[in-house]
Amino acid sequence: MKKIKKPLFILLILISSICYSQEKVTNESILQMMNMGFSDDLIISKINSSDYKFDTSLSELSKLNDAGVSNDIITLMIEKSKHNTISKTGIYFQDGDELKLIQPTVFSGTSNNAVAQKLVSGLINSKTKATLPKSQSNNVLTDSSPEFTFIFDVSSASVDNMQTSPGGNDRFNWWFKVASSPNEFVLLQLKVKEKKNLREVITGKGNVLTSSTGIDPKFALPFDIEEIEGNKYKVTPANLPPGEYAFFYQGQIPGGRSNQSVFDFSVK
């Protein structure tokens, strides 16, 4: 029996692991097969016979094109990614190879210093603060430059990502059926109150002459938006130092709803 040389044996193992593994085919594995000299027909066959998870954002498509991936393969990846889209609306963050949904956190209370401010001067703004329970979010990110995926579905009448209020009344994830773009959200840093085990954000201000609600634009943190598909966007904030953050909806609120939640996360 003819012996197989060790380097060739290792190569066969690598080919086998890519071609026959039950793991999802990704952008990275496409590039691996390209670098190993696989033909377009073989790569296309692998895509059609496997689970897949492709990033078809403009920046990633540019990388594939620069690496010499053919138009036939890229076109197939784009077509497949349409059927690989997460069906539920919401905000997701990357956790390893998986996208995890950020469930909305309901404000635990509000407070303002209007009485004290009036005693000093009726023209000095009082502040309305909303608080969130616990000093740290349940959604912990270790990347200081995280990427988020926003998924909207303004045309769907179905209800998903159900949220139950403390009183037992069902409320639904209406934000992503009313909004159509991440531009309708603001990213802000929450102030941590360690001794009280809570986080807070200023949601309004006013005096005897004027009042306003919502997040002051000067507290909004910048982020880049890239459209992946018609209802799906990649959102990339600028570098975020360790702390507590949240996306807050600032668009139109439909009748019967109240905007008393944020999509919070921690950066470690």
Side-chain angles (χ1 to χ4, degrees):
M1 181 177 178
K2 188 176 180 179
K3 292 184 178 180
I4 300 177
K5 293 183 179 180
K6 189 173 182 180
L8 179 58
F9 180 69
I10 294 174
L11 179 61
L12 290 174
I13 292 176
L14 289 173
I15 294 173
S16 176
S17 66
I18 292 177
C19 290
Y20 301 104
S21 171
Q22 295 302 310
E23 294 180 354
K24 292 182 175 67
V25 179
T26 63
N27 293 39
E28 183 179 353
S29 54
I30 293 294
L31 293 175
Q32 287 177 347
M33 288 187 281
M34 284 283 299
N35 292 333
M36 295 177 70
F38 285 22
S39 68
D40 283 6
D41 288 343
L42 183 55
I43 295 175
I44 289 172
S45 177
K46 173 60 179 172
I47 294 172
N48 285 327
S49 61
S50 306
D51 292 331
Y52 44 82
K53 184 179 180 181
F54 296 129
D55 184 344
T56 56
S57 61
L58 186 59
S59 58
E60 291 301 317
L61 292 179
S62 178
K63 292 178 184 178
L64 293 170
N65 184 65
D66 291 343
V69 179
S70 70
N71 287 338
D72 288 342
I73 293 175
I74 292 176
T75 299
L76 180 60
M77 292 172 67
I78 294 173
E79 184 62 30
K80 292 290 187 181
S81 70
K82 293 179 182 179
H83 305 290
N84 195 43
T85 300
I86 300 171
S87 60
K88 288 188 175 182
T89 59
I91 301 175
Y92 295 79
F93 68 93
Q94 196 74 37
D95 184 25
D97 293 330
E98 299 297 325
L99 285 176
K100 288 192 174 180
L101 176 68
I102 298 180
Q103 293 285 1
T105 300
V106 181
F107 290 135
S108 57
T110 58
S111 63
N112 64 61
N113 57 350
V115 175
Q117 294 295 73
K118 286 180 180 179
L119 291 175
V120 178
S121 171
L123 297 179
I124 297 177
N125 284 331
S126 64
K127 297 177 182 178
T128 301
K129 299 177 182 179
T131 57
L132 293 170
K134 301 193 302 182
S135 59
Q136 179 178 302
S137 171
N138 292 327
N139 305 299
V140 180
L141 287 66
T142 57
D143 188 353
S144 61
S145 300
E147 290 183 353
F148 298 89
T149 300
F150 281 59
I151 302 178
F152 302 91
D153 190 2
V154 295
S155 63
S156 175
S158 63
V159 176
D160 55 23
N161 293 345
M162 187 169 68
Q163 173 193 356
T164 302
S165 66
N169 297 319
D170 291 335
R171 297 189 299 169
F172 304 106
N173 199 16
W174 54 266
W175 300 272
F176 303 93
K177 298 185 182 299
V178 176
S180 59
S181 165
N183 279 322
E184 296 176 63
F185 291 77
V186 293
L187 174 61
L188 52 99
Q189 185 166 12
L190 305 172
K191 187 174 183 179
V192 178
K193 298 284 190 177
E194 291 284 359
K195 291 184 178 180
K196 295 183 178 180
N197 192 29
L198 55 80
R199 294 156 291 161
E200 68 177 21
V201 58
I202 298 173
T203 57
K205 60 183 180 180
N207 54 46
V208 294
L209 298 178
T210 62
S211 65
S212 62
T213 58
I215 305 301
D216 191 321
K218 70 181 181 182
F219 295 126
L221 302 176
F223 53 80
D224 293 328
I225 301 173
E226 181 180 344
E227 183 176 348
I228 301 174
E229 296 176 24
N231 69 329
K232 186 176 179 182
Y233 298 82
K234 179 187 290 186
V235 170
T236 309
N239 187 61
L240 299 176
E244 297 296 314
Y245 299 88
F247 286 103
F248 183 79
Y249 176 68
Q250 291 250 96
Q252 183 177 1
I253 300 174
R257 305 292 181 188
S258 60
N259 194 23
Q260 296 296 318
S261 301
V262 294
F263 299 84
D264 60 306
F265 61 94
S266 298
V267 174
K268 291 297 183 182

